[in-house]
Amino acid sequence: MHSLTIHPARLQGVINVPTSKSLAHRAIICAALAKGESVITNISMSKDIEATIGAMRALGATIITQGTTLYINGNDTFKEDHVTINCNESGSTLRFMVPVALRNKRQVHFTGGGKLGQRPLDVFYDIFDKQGIAYKHKEGVLDLFI
């Protein structure tokens, strides 16, 4: 067995910690709901984050991506009619966007791919029924109109 000697020393430098995908979804949505321009830096881009960006764009927000920085203007959010939101395969995008989309007060169509349509949405359907919110959906695929 080899031996190793560790000598104490002061550490210094810079560490760029990867961002939380969950917090990034929330920050994008909040920025798109705010009036004026917001800047979010150090975003770790992924297919799920791109789905949330696309969802907020579909609702009317202007979002410009430059590397890991997003410039988001929410002045026109909710000014679009007959919105289609493609969640791709992002369960987070779908679950965050359903309540946000209800604020639109116009028809919103949710689509997605992969197994996203097989994930249970009964919690939302129960709320829709209790609140008198009109909706229709197909079993086994994500094709939800609210």
Side-chain angles (χ1 to χ4, degrees):
M1 181 180 330
H2 296 9
S3 65
L4 175 67
T5 303
I6 299 175
H7 300 283
R10 183 170 295 249
L11 297 176
Q12 59 186 18
V14 176
I15 298 175
N16 192 8
V17 177
T19 57
S20 161
K21 188 166 59 168
S22 181
L23 291 177
H25 285 290
R26 289 170 170 86
I28 292 163
I29 292 167
C30 289
L33 294 176
K35 297 298 179 197
E37 184 173 85
S38 300
V39 179
I40 305 172
T41 60
N42 197 30
I43 293 289
S44 295
M45 297 302 285
S46 69
K47 296 281 186 194
D48 287 2
I49 295 302
E50 290 170 4
T52 296
I53 290 169
M56 294 314 300
R57 282 179 175 153
L59 288 173
T62 301
I63 302 177
I64 298 169
T65 304
Q66 290 182 347
T68 62
T69 301
L70 300 177
Y71 299 88
I72 302 176
N73 190 309
N75 287 337
D76 292 327
T77 303
F78 299 124
K79 292 186 179 176
E80 298 292 325
D81 288 327
H82 307 291
V83 173
T84 296
I85 294 176
N86 183 350
C87 298
N88 296 317
E89 295 184 42
S90 175
S92 295
T93 300
L94 175 61
R95 283 177 167 50
F96 287 139
M97 291 309 303
V98 167
V100 171
L102 287 171
R103 166 63 178 81
N104 193 44
K105 298 186 180 173
R106 294 178 180 91
Q107 182 173 316
V108 178
H109 179 206
F110 286 92
T111 64
K115 295 185 178 189
L116 186 58
Q118 297 170 5
R119 293 189 184 179
L121 294 176
D122 296 336
V123 169
F124 288 124
Y125 301 150
D126 290 344
I127 292 169
F128 297 163
D129 291 337
K130 289 176 184 171
Q131 297 292 322
I133 298 168
Y135 70 98
K136 66 179 182 175
H137 68 96
K138 294 180 185 174
E139 292 295 326
V141 296
L142 182 54
D143 188 28
L144 171 65
F145 291 85
I146 57 174

